[in-house]
Amino acid sequence: MPDLTATAATSSPAAAGDGPRGSDFARLSRQITKAGLLERRPGHYIVRSSLVVIAFVGGWAAFLAVGDSWYQLAVAVLLAVVFAQIGLLAHDLAHRQVFRSRRPSEIAGMLAGNLAIGMSYGWWMDKHTRHHANPNHEDHDPDVSPDFLLWSREQAAESSGLARFIGRRQAFLFFPLLTLEGFNLHVSSVRALTRPVIKHRGVEAALLATHAVLYLGALFTVLSPGKAVAFLLLHQAVFGVYLGCTFAPNHKGMPTLRGEEKLDFLRRQVLTSRNVRGGKVLDVVLGGLNYQIEHHLFPSMPMPNLRRAQPIVRAYCEELGVAYLESGLVDSYAQALRHLHEVGAPLRARVGASG
């Protein structure tokens, strides 16, 4: 695994990123601001939100029209895609890409997250903020905490119990485990509301409860118990896989940090992130997160501006000598899986030696 601190030390004449005209990031930020790429894009979000709402209402209308039939499994897949798109829209709301101020962002975020898809907006925002502050830092980024999957050999050496058991074959188990991610989001959301750090806990709890009553009520009123359970399992599984596949290419398999942080902001964000090449269809499918480097440098930049920011950021990184990684979609997953397999190698070797 590359040494990020060593990479940073040799990537620029000003290793710490400081110079007479300010930090490396400050100079890039001035270019981005001058290009107008931090300006809001209300037209985009009006159209996008309208299409998502139409798809959401249309999906549930199709559910009611199909009735008690096994064809509902197709509706379950459709609604899973719609739920994921709502989740991506909630992501943009949390970063204030849609509204400048906090209150409308929170209101829209809770309606999209808590009420529409059953995910706590406050919990997710708290978790995602910590991820952005320290991406791929094993001590501070909750997305690389070794709950089930292990992201470094150091984590593998320190692992025990279920994490150690899964870690041996985690590359093969990665996609099957994603089928549980939808359920994990719901459980984590409910658990988070017991913590006082979450604002508006009462409102969030009421919206989550309303979602659960309407969602489960619709399933078990329209469908027979067996079909309702099948719909629930398939819908949540596809929802989890979609969201997981949206976020997995961005940092998984990239270098991780431990202990004392030594990178400046620009290098911390760029060297731990990976972009995914693709056209405008991929932009829609991944919600713009295929421009992960640009998103991490400028989290409040509206999604449609990320494509325009990319050549500026890439050229600037080349000028500084900072590694800027882009991969195809399939290759990005392959890199992540190879990394997971490599991390689990010592655990497999230990089992083989003991056997």
Side-chain angles (χ1 to χ4, degrees), residues 52-227:
V52 168
V53 170
I54 290 170
F56 182 78
V57 173
W60 284 113
F63 173 84
L64 294 174
V66 172
D68 189 18
S69 165
W70 286 109
Y71 287 113
Q72 289 285 15
L73 296 183
V75 179
V77 173
L78 169 65
L79 278 172
V81 173
V82 175
F83 270 43
Q85 283 293 318
I86 293 174
L88 291 171
L89 185 58
H91 167 271
D92 290 8
L93 287 162
H95 282 296
R96 299 192 192 175
Q97 296 177 19
V98 184
F99 303 106
R100 290 184 182 276
S101 56
R102 177 174 58 85
R103 185 168 179 78
S105 298
E106 286 182 342
I107 293 172
M110 286 188 287
L111 291 175
N114 295 61
L115 183 61
I117 64 176
M119 179 185 72
S120 167
Y121 175 79
W123 160 76
W124 185 87
M125 186 172 180
D126 173 70
K127 174 176 177 288
H128 198 60
T129 298
R130 288 184 284 131
H131 158 70
H132 266 264
N134 292 283
N136 269 24
H137 195 296
E138 296 177 26
D139 301 323
H140 305 299
D141 183 357
D143 288 354
V144 292
S145 61
D147 294 331
F148 294 105
L149 298 176
L150 306 171
W151 303 105
S152 71
R153 292 207 172 200
E154 290 81 3
Q155 286 184 347
E158 299 165 0
S159 65
S160 61
L162 185 59
R164 177 179 288 265
F165 176 78
I166 291 176
R168 296 168 191 157
R169 299 174 180 82
Q170 59 183 9
F172 301 99
L173 295 173
F174 179 71
F175 286 106
L177 285 172
L178 286 184
T179 63
L180 303 176
E181 182 60 21
F183 295 102
N184 177 55
L185 290 176
H186 301 312
V187 172
S188 296
S189 295
V190 173
R191 291 175 59 188
L193 293 182
T194 64
R195 295 160 42 199
V197 296
I198 304 298
K199 298 179 181 179
H200 313 300
R201 285 190 295 164
V203 175
E204 290 215 27
L207 290 173
L208 283 179
T210 301
H211 168 83
V213 169
L214 293 176
Y215 178 79
L216 295 175
L219 263 57
F220 286 92
T221 299
V222 173
L223 304 177
S224 65
K227 294 188 184 75

